[in-house]
Every structure is written in structure tokens, then in C-alpha cells.
Amino acid sequence: MEEPERPEESRPPRRRGRTVLLVAVAAVLGVVAGTCTGYVVQAGREPTPLPPLSQPAVGQAKGEVEPLSAAQDRRVKTDGDLRKLLVGRPKGARENPFFASDDGWWTLADYAEDFTKPDQAFTNELKSQFRRAAVTSWRTSDTHLVEIRLVQYRQEERVAAADSAENGMYWAERNNKGHSWAVPGTGDGMAYSDTEPYRKPGYVPLYSAEAHAWRGDIAMEIYVNDTKPITKKEIMSLAERQMERL
């Protein structure tokens, strides 16, 4: 009799976390997350009745209509330079020399390369209508690294950003060795922080924290790594500040 498929086997591959660096021992260790499969929001909704064909005539206004500001129309912000929506580096933070981006952008190939199975991830993201990814990273010490990603989808058929965040939370919960908290103002966004380090023979123990949430067509991913535990205050502050900018 054939064994039933486990839930994780039907999901996209895990993320490798290539920026997880321990300079003291020149070690790069892996962290996990997920991609997206998406879902259709209109399925099952009742059809909206059409308005009557006869409508009163409306006079055409004179002059040009001013475009909505960013405060009135969120798409003004998100269709522009997505890198400008990333949280800025804290004062005194340094470059992460192992961060794989020269200009703050990741292509689909760049993003897929960060997974344990790049070919499968590339196909999944392509189906989910990956549009672009704005990324930033810094270090506040030799071992304390922060990476933030804003992954945007076209969403012509699927609300892929929501599913991307959900998959990230799925893998985070499976591998979390500590606490988790809801991120205020995000609906279902979550943050996680290890109380036990990841251990591997020959390497310094590594603590990780991450956060996942989404808004509109953008999925947010935050990863923090260090040789000592990451505080709730740090990961929650990063997540809340980043989501406020969206």
C-alpha cells in the first residue's frame, strides 16, 4: 500500500538562507521559509447584479483631474521604486559583505536560488506571477545579521502575496525553537525567535528570528541571525516598522 503524502511534501521547497553567516568560524548555516502557491479570491462569491442600462446623463467636468497622492492611493507607492519602502539601516550599521545584491533588487532567478530546490522554486514563483523583489541587509556586529525582503506579485489571477507569507509562517512554525507572536496591524502576520540555537558539529551555535506578513500584492520577509538570542523587541520592531511603510 502506498504511503500517504505528507503535508510538507506538497509544499514548495524550503529556503536556504544563504546570508546566514558566522564570521568567527566562516560558517554559513541554513534557515527556512517558503514560497507561494496562491489562491483565487473570487471563487464561490455570489455574482453582483448588473445596474440598469438606463442611466442619467452626467456632464463632463472641465480641466484635468489631479492624480491621487500616495496617501490616497497605495499603488502610487508600491508601483514606484519598491526599494524606497524598505526600512532603513540603523545608525552605525555596516554592509553585509555576503549579501547577494549590488543594487537592492533580486530577479526571479536570484530569489529562486535562495531555496533548497532552485528549479522547483523558480517554477512555483513563475506560476505565482512573481514581479520583483526589493532587498536590503546589514550587520551591527560581526555575527549579527539582518535581511529584509519585499516580494511583489502581479496577482492577475491569484493573491499570491498572502499565500507566500502563509508558507513562510508554515516553515517557520515547523522549525521554530522558541517563541512566536502576532505582528500587530497585519491581520495574520507572525514573528518567531529561537530560545535554543541551531547546532551543527564544527560550527558556532546560531540563533535565528524571522517575521512574515503581507499587504496587498507584497509579501514581507525578515530574517535576523546571531550567536546569541534575538530579542522579541528587535524582531517585532523591525516587522512593525516595515509593515507601516507599506
Side-chain angles (χ1 to χ4, degrees):
M1 183 176 179
E2 189 174 318
E3 292 186 9
E5 183 182 78
R6 294 183 300 171
E8 61 268 26
E9 292 177 344
S10 62
R11 284 185 173 267
R14 300 183 301 171
R15 197 160 284 132
R16 285 189 293 201
R18 61 187 171 192
T19 61
V20 180
L21 170 72
L22 298 178
V23 176
V25 291
V28 178
L29 304 176
V31 292
V32 296
T35 56
C36 59
T37 52
Y39 55 86
V40 181
V41 290
Q42 294 296 337
R45 290 187 176 179
E46 292 293 328
T48 303
L50 294 174
L53 296 176
S54 176
Q55 295 288 335
V58 179
Q60 184 174 355
K62 296 182 179 180
E64 295 184 0
V65 178
E66 286 190 23
L68 295 175
S69 66
Q72 297 170 308
D73 186 355
R74 179 181 167 278
R75 294 301 294 269
V76 173
K77 291 194 301 182
T78 60
D79 279 347
D81 190 341
L82 199 59
R83 296 172 299 181
K84 294 181 179 179
L85 298 184
L86 288 162
V87 168
R89 296 178 182 178
K91 186 176 180 180
R94 292 173 286 167
E95 294 279 347
N96 177 2
F98 294 87
F99 181 55
S101 176
D102 295 326
D103 58 2
W105 292 111
W106 272 2
T107 64
L108 174 54
D110 294 328
Y111 188 59
E113 188 62 30
D114 200 46
F115 289 81
T116 56
K117 298 178 181 178
D119 292 347
Q120 183 181 336
F122 187 95
T123 300
N124 291 336
E125 289 293 317
L126 192 62
K127 291 179 179 178
S128 297
Q129 299 181 305
F130 174 96
R131 179 179 175 187
R132 56 183 179 168
V135 293
T136 187
S137 182
W138 64 81
R139 56 177 174 147
T140 56
S141 73
D142 286 341
T143 59
H144 189 91
L145 303 176
V146 176
E147 183 175 325
I148 302 177
R149 310 170 183 177
L150 299 179
V151 186
Q152 190 171 35
Y153 298 87
R154 292 187 176 85
Q155 298 201 146
E156 295 169 355
E157 299 177 359
R158 303 177 177 183
V159 186
D163 204 57
S164 176
E166 187 276 329
N167 275 279
M169 289 183 280
Y170 170 85
W171 287 114
E173 288 168 6
R174 279 185 56 83
N175 293 273
N176 181 36
K177 299 178 181 179
H179 302 299
S180 62
W181 308 276
V183 179
T186 63
D188 55 2
M190 293 292 295
Y192 307 84
S193 183
D194 290 341
T195 54
E196 296 180 23
Y198 175 83
R199 300 180 184 275
K200 186 175 181 178
Y203 294 86
V204 169
L206 176 73
Y207 289 89
S208 298
E210 59 188 283
H212 300 272
W214 67 282
R215 181 159 294 153
D217 56 358
I218 297 174
M220 176 202 74
E221 305 172 6
I222 298 177
Y223 303 96
V224 185
N225 299 281
D226 201 350
T227 53
K228 57 186 178 181
I230 293 93
T231 65
K232 174 184 177 181
K233 180 180 179 181
E234 179 179 6
I235 189 63
M236 291 290 282
S237 175
L238 282 170
E240 291 181 50
R241 286 165 48 212
Q242 182 58 76
M243 291 304 294
E244 285 173 359
R245 296 178 66 87
L246 299 179

